[in-house]
Amino acid sequence: MFIDPELFGLFVLTGLALNVTPGPDMMFVIAAGTRGGRRSGVLAALGIGLGGLVHTAAAAAGLSALLLSSTLAFSIVKYAGAVYLIYLGVQALLARAGSTASPAPAAPPVDAAPPSDRILWRAVLTSVMNPKVALFFLAFVPQFVSSAHGAIAVQFVLLGAAFCATGTTVNVLVGILAGSMRALLERRTGWTRALDRATGLVFVALGVRLLFVGQK
């Protein structure tokens, strides 16, 4: 077996506890769901999960160690991610700024693909450009790797994939709930605009938070 069964069970339980704890990834999914509906929430969750797989592969290949050892590499990734999140936030804040008093066209169903269907790739980029996620995988996963069970890289990938799977499951449920809240508020005039603005503020806050993240 590539993984110690006892270590794997402990890993899954510990990972699940971390997955259900609100953090930047979950806040991104909530923001996406409340802005675009259930579909956007689910796509955001899947994107965050894919980003986690990228970090898992990078950590297994030793690339995450570069972020740990190089201040320049860490800063480049951090600032790129922060700017991107702030850009998404400003975009959400200004999304309805040009509306007028003329009758608005009928709103599409909440689950219809919105113009921002690119949310999947936005979520992937957001996760990939967060250096703290890379360092998390580098610090957390090795604690559950056993040299007695063969190739370390293979164990690393399997454990990382399991963590991403449980995290994605949790985030999909969160995204559906957030999107359902959007569906309920769609019928109330003024509420959706306020929700869009709140979503924009969440994205900006996540970006600003990332700006102050330290390397250690």
Side-chain angles (χ1 to χ4, degrees):
M1 296 181 66
F2 281 113
I3 301 177
D4 185 318
E6 292 185 6
L7 282 178
F8 182 72
L10 179 61
F11 175 83
V12 171
L13 290 176
T14 305
L16 189 58
L18 292 171
N19 292 146
V20 299
T21 302
D25 287 348
M26 186 177 290
M27 292 304 298
F28 184 93
V29 172
I30 291 172
T34 53
R35 186 185 181 202
R38 289 183 287 269
R39 178 184 172 83
S40 290
V42 171
L43 288 175
L46 295 177
I48 293 295
L50 289 174
L53 291 177
V54 172
H55 282 296
T56 297
L63 297 179
S64 293
L66 175 64
L67 292 177
L68 184 62
S69 61
S70 171
T71 302
L72 177 60
F74 184 91
S75 297
I76 289 173
V77 174
K78 178 180 75 170
Y79 289 125
V83 168
Y84 187 65
L85 280 168
I86 293 171
Y87 161 75
L88 293 181
V90 172
Q91 190 178 56
L93 287 169
L94 300 179
R96 295 172 181 256
S99 61
T100 65
S102 56
V110 173
D111 281 326
S116 59
D117 198 34
R118 297 183 299 272
I119 190 66
L120 174 68
W121 304 115
R122 290 179 173 182
V124 173
L125 283 175
T126 298
S127 177
V128 169
M129 291 192 296
N130 186 345
K132 268 301 185 182
V133 177
L135 299 189
F136 166 78
F137 275 94
L138 195 62
F140 177 66
V141 177
Q143 299 179 51
F144 300 88
V145 171
S146 172
S147 58
H149 286 266
I152 298 298
V154 174
Q155 295 181 61
F156 210 109
V157 170
L158 292 175
L159 289 170
F163 182 82
C164 291
T166 56
T168 299
T169 300
V170 170
N171 281 331
V172 163
L173 294 175
V174 170
I176 291 173
L177 288 174
S180 298
M181 182 173 69
R182 171 81 184 199
L184 291 174
L185 296 179
E186 282 276 331
R187 304 180 184 88
R188 305 193 179 203
T189 305
W191 277 88
T192 53
R193 180 174 297 183
L195 203 56
D196 287 335
R197 289 174 177 171
T199 297
L201 291 175
V202 169
F203 283 134
V204 171
L206 289 175
V208 172
R209 177 184 181 278
L210 187 55
L211 284 174
F212 292 96
V213 161
Q215 188 173 10
K216 302 298 182 181

